[in-house]
Each structure stands twice: as C-alpha cells, then as structure tokens.
Amino acid sequence: MLKFRNEFIMAPIKTGYSDGMGNVTPRHLSFYTKRAEYLGAIILEPLYLDKRLREIPTQIGIDSDEKIAGLTKLNEAIHEKGCSVIAHLNHPGRMANPKIPGNIYWSSVAKACENGGKTPIAIDQEKMAIVREQFVAAARRAEQAKFDAIELQFGHGYLLAQFLSPAVNTRTDEYGGSFSNRMKFPLEILSAVKDATSLPIIARISGDEMILNGLSITDMIAFSKKLKEASVEAIHVSAGTICTSPPWFFQHMFVPKGKTWALASELKQNVALPIIFVGQVNTTMDIDFLLRDKKADFIAIGRALVADPDFIGKYLGKVKGTIMPCLACVEGCLGGVKKGKGLQCLVNPTVDKNNLEDPLTPVIKKKKYAVIGGGVAGMEAACILKERGHDVDLFEKNTLGGQFRYAHLTPKKKSMEKLIPAFIERLTTDQVSIIHKEANANDLLGKYDAAIIATGSRPKIPDIKGLEKYYWSEIMEEDKLPSGKKIMIIGGGLIGVDIATALIQKGNQVILVKRSTDFGTHMEMIAKNLSLKMLKEKNTVFSDHTFIQEINSSTVRAIREEKEIVFEGIDAYVVSVGMESYRPLAKELEGKMPVHIIGDAREVGDAQAAIRSAFELACSL
C-alpha cells in the first residue's frame, strides 16, 4: 500500500551529478533535499543495475552493496523532510549508452534502434536469468537502503518495453508473437522482484509509444490488468520511446500538453488501480485540472521542480513568491546532462549548485544599484539584488524582456512566453523601480554605488554590396510577419532557423543561406531536428557553402562551391549571421564609477548563460 503524505511525486530525472563510480554525492543531497519539503514522494533518477548498463557516465548505481550507504544517507536526508523515496529500477537493453566503454547491449532481438546505437544481442534464457538477478539484487538493496517503494520501468523503449512492443519484438519463441507471449518476460521480472522484497511496486509504462506498430493504450490496458493481478500498487503513465519518439519521452515543448493525461485517464477508467499522471505538469492550472477533472490519484512533476524547487510549496500556499516556470525546452536539463555538466535549468541558475544553504544571503551593507537593460539578465540581476536587500533601479527604454520577447513567436515554442511575465511579477513583488528611458551617464554618476550593464547584443550586419533594407527577429512580430512572399534569410544558425519556422507558417517561400553546412547551429537537438523537419516539409531551400557577392533589389548573386548562382524574385531579406555585444554606456562610465557587465553585453550566449551570469554577479555584490 502506497502511503505518502500527499499526492505529489517528483518524477525521475537524470541529474548527472554522480562521480563516475555511481556514488551519491553532495550535489544529490543538495538537489533532492531542496525539493523534498512539500512533496509526498521523490522518485530518484534511474538507478543502474550494472555499471555496463549506464545511460550516462555520471548515473547513480544500485549495482553493489557498496552503494547502500550512500543511498541510505540520501534517503534519510529526504525522509527528514517528511518525504518518501522511490527507487526507479530500469534495464536499458539496447538503449545503454554506446559511448560508454564496456557497456553491453541486450534486447529481445538483435535489432538496433532506428535512431542509432549498437546492434544488441538477442538474449537467451541464460541472459534472462542474469537480468532477473540484476533486478532482484537491486530490489533487495533498495529495501536495505530505506527506500519506501520501487518503480519498475516497463516503458519508454527500454528492455522490458523491447519485449512488450510489437515494433521491436519479432521473436518466434515463447517470448514473442502474441501479446501474452511478449508480456511473459516483463511479468517474470515483476514476479521475481515481488518475491525478493516487501516494498510496494509501481509500474511505469508508456501509454502509447507514438510510433508505427508500437504499443497502444489498448495494449497497455490489457498489460495493466495483468500488473494488477500481480499486485502492483500503482501505474505511472507516460508516453513515447527514447529510441524513436524522444520528444514524447522528454515531453518536449514541441509535443502537445495533455496527451499523456488523456492516456492516464483512459487507463484509470479501465483498471482499478491508483494512476500517476505525468507530462508537462508545470502550472497551477495543470494541477487543478488533473485533480478536479481527471480525478488523478497522484501527480508526478519533473522539470517544473527543476525550474522551481518550491513549485508545490507555492501551489499549496506554504511558500510565498512567484513560480518560476518550466518552459519544457529541455535546454538546461537535458542539454546540461548531455554536455557532461549535470542537470541545469534555463530559468533556475541555482539548480546545480553544490550547497545546502540559500545563496541569497542578506547584504551586510545596503547599496544602491542601477541595472541598465531589462532583458532576462537585467531582470534577474535586479530581482536578486533587491531580494538580498539592496536598492535597485532598472532602466529599460523599450518593453521588458529584451530578445527573449521573440522566443515564443516561433511555432511550437509558445511555452517560452511564460518567462517574461514571471520576471515582471517578481519585479513588482520585489518593488524594483523601473525607469522607462535610455540611461545616460548623467542619470547614474553620483547617484548610484555601481552600474550593472545588461544592454545585451545586436545583430552583426554582413558587408554585402546592395544590402540596405533588411529585418532581424522583429519580422516575426504579428504586424510585421509577411505572407506569401519569397524571403531570403542570410545565416542559418539558431535564430535563422527559428525565424524560418515562423515564416513558413504564413505560406512564405524561404531560402536559408549559410557559409557553412550545419543549419541550426547551437540549437537544442530535439528542437533542431523537428524544426529542420518542418522546414523541409515546406520545401525550404537550404543553400550551404554559399557566399553572397551582391544584392540588386530582388536579385542575389552568390558563389557556391566555386560556381556562381543567382536567386531571383526575393521580396525581403532577413539578416541572422550572429550577434555582437552592445555596451556603449560601459565605455562612457569607465573610470568614473564601478561598472559590472552581465549577459550578452559581457559575452554573447543563450538565455541560460545570461541569467546565470546575472545571478552570480548579484549574489556577489
């Protein structure tokens, strides 16, 4: 019987905070305890059953008795907050990371993932016995380490799903063919774990794999009835597979919110078990809807708790303040782990800090600061300085938000529009004075202890003969967005591709011109792949290795691979060849008063880097 203090559970999210040996580290203690205060339970990140089965090099292990002490320490720290802890046990099968030396790859059949990876070995009875023992040993260690429950991964394209799914399992023996045969090995694992421990078992499934010939909700209703017969305590319903439908697996902003909830609701109507709802639960309205309309037994929340560890505390009215929103962008969380830096977050610069104390220490000596520029870096700096006790004036001549005002104008990125209103709410709550004018030296000298320059960056303009009238991201604004035109975008990096995806929605023919080959440079990989797919479906022209020589009204002459090419009938031009820092006021103030430079004004980067630089400076002053 699951006994948690409330219905809110943290979903399993890979942190990448381990030491390469699978041990719990102080970063885990800091991360999880900060999120345990108001939750019913936390499902720790997937625990590897064998060091040869890692998905990332810095994953936590439960593969040996030596790991029990560290896991126990972490669980006890979470328990002190009144929160239960669940061990998520998973065998990746063919989805073990191919870049980790020594990894092994087993599956139901010798078929590699369509999206890449090693060709696995089709496991036989001997290897099945090894897998069963790995699960059993891990379950016993989980009980010894004071976990309160175990979650078994039957979905997301991992080993047990590789048996269940007709898109993968083409075996002809007793473990293949009919669905009852394909269920056999996963149910054997469940039975073995049940026999090995007294801990309650939760099953995580993909309600729909979102692929051709994959598992459907009809299949999973039938499977869930078998899980109930085997005394599973609850079913955690997600979607997709990490192999062939990763946007669904990661619940990326490009997939519609609510599909996993509909799957969970259908399962709830057909199976008499508690159901855990999950998937882009990142607003208080989402929670209200799931509790009121879907009658959710439990709600699992993942990245919203990365963005704001007090999300549930604020929902319950036990913590004051603005909820910093998860944007479902996976740029920091997935991106940080993939880069080997560990879990990070675009909106939360504290998420990977190895400290248990609040970094927002009150100031000893109160000062008065002028923040120049109201983009995300400027707003973050102003809020943190004010929250620490300083006096702050924020100068911004235009609308607050800076370049981030354009982020949500790209198709599929509407979730990005939540960030600026959250910052504005914080500024209002913190009572930061906003001065709507372009600051000059006379506004600042003798009136402030220091100036913080957050004036961002400006587009680089290429030296092209005849390039006179052109747009940048502002072309995506509603009153400027053209329709039915032929538009050339000069530059095909992140911004260029984003602008292109907005333009094609209005029936524009787009030509992307780039001197190199990699369209979508610096984009998060899922967004990049889906954006390029959208563009190709709309017959976008990708012209790489192209050097524009001259523009003459609607005609463009260029060199591509040492041959002259001509583009004709161009109605408008967009320039997107990169950005350069913009900080003229810093030079004017140099030597006259203390000046600090943050965000793109210091070094051109992304929104995450801008917010982080602002936070770190504001905490140091």
Side-chain angles (χ1 to χ4, degrees), residues 16-327:
Y17 292 161
S18 193
D19 57 2
M21 300 297 291
N23 296 308
V24 170
T25 68
R27 294 175 82 186
H28 293 116
L29 288 164
S30 175
F31 176 79
Y32 284 115
T33 54
K34 284 177 181 176
R35 287 156 178 80
E37 192 80 35
Y38 303 102
L39 296 173
I42 288 174
I43 307 173
L44 293 191
E45 66 174 73
L47 306 174
Y48 68 74
L49 311 181
D50 185 295
K51 66 180 181 180
R52 300 169 299 170
L53 299 174
R54 286 176 291 170
E55 293 182 76
I56 57 174
T58 48
Q59 188 174 350
I60 300 178
I62 195 169
D63 59 318
S64 67
D65 290 350
E66 286 74 20
K67 303 294 196 309
I68 293 173
L71 290 167
T72 301
K73 182 178 180 180
L74 176 57
N75 291 343
E76 288 177 342
I78 295 171
H79 285 153
E80 286 178 6
K81 302 286 187 177
C83 182
S84 300
V85 198
I86 301 166
H88 180 91
L89 305 183
N90 174 37
H91 191 303
R94 65 179 183 171
M95 300 313 299
N97 192 330
K99 295 181 180 179
I100 298 178
N103 264 1
I104 59 174
Y105 312 92
W106 294 354
S107 186
S108 57
V109 295
K111 178 184 178 183
C113 170
E114 294 85 348
N115 285 355
K118 300 281 189 178
T119 299
I121 296 171
I123 66 176
D124 55 18
Q125 287 284 359
E126 182 180 354
K127 289 182 174 60
M128 287 181 183
I130 293 172
V131 173
R132 274 193 292 270
E133 182 51 36
Q134 288 171 334
F135 273 102
V136 164
R140 288 173 176 156
R141 293 185 190 109
E143 191 159 18
Q144 292 176 59
K146 300 183 180 180
F147 281 94
D148 301 288
I150 289 171
E151 179 172 85
L152 295 178
Q153 175 64 279
F154 292 97
H156 285 162
Y158 291 116
L159 179 63
L160 301 184
Q162 290 160 28
F163 273 84
L164 289 168
S165 178
V168 181
N169 186 353
T170 56
R171 294 173 75 109
T172 57
D173 63 0
E174 61 183 303
Y175 294 98
S178 67
F179 194 35
S180 60
N181 282 2
R182 287 184 276 118
M183 284 191 281
K184 186 174 181 181
F185 182 57
L187 292 174
E188 287 176 357
I189 295 295
L190 173 59
S191 177
V193 170
K194 286 289 294 183
D195 289 343
T197 175
S198 61
L199 293 178
I201 308 295
I202 298 168
R204 194 171 208 205
I205 65 169
S206 291
D208 192 310
E209 290 191 307
M210 302 296 177
I211 58 174
L212 185 65
N213 299 322
L215 291 167
S216 68
I217 188 61
T218 302
D219 297 323
M220 299 322 290
I221 289 171
F223 180 58
S224 297
K225 289 178 178 178
K226 291 292 185 182
L227 294 174
K228 176 177 169 56
E229 291 174 10
S231 300
V232 160
E233 298 281 353
I235 300 178
H236 188 173
V237 186
S238 187
T241 89
I242 192 170
C243 170
T244 43
S245 51
W248 287 99
F249 171 83
F250 290 109
Q251 283 296 295
H252 191 272
M253 61 183 169
F254 274 49
V255 303
K257 177 187 287 197
K259 177 63 176 177
T260 53
W261 309 346
L263 295 169
S265 183
E266 191 168 348
L267 199 71
K268 183 175 175 62
Q269 293 168 24
N270 288 277
V271 182
L273 275 175
I275 303 298
I276 303 172
F277 287 67
V278 73
Q280 292 191 54
V281 182
N282 50 31
T283 70
T284 58
M285 291 181 293
D286 295 338
I287 295 175
D288 288 339
F289 174 74
L290 291 176
L291 293 176
R292 181 188 65 243
D293 292 17
K294 296 297 184 181
K295 303 293 187 290
D297 301 290
F298 296 98
I299 299 174
I301 301 155
R303 285 168 293 155
L305 287 164
V306 178
D308 191 332
D310 290 324
F311 175 48
I312 293 302
K314 291 173 181 176
Y315 172 78
L316 296 173
K318 296 181 178 180
V319 179
K320 294 181 179 180
T322 301
I323 293 174
M324 289 307 290
C326 170
L327 308 180

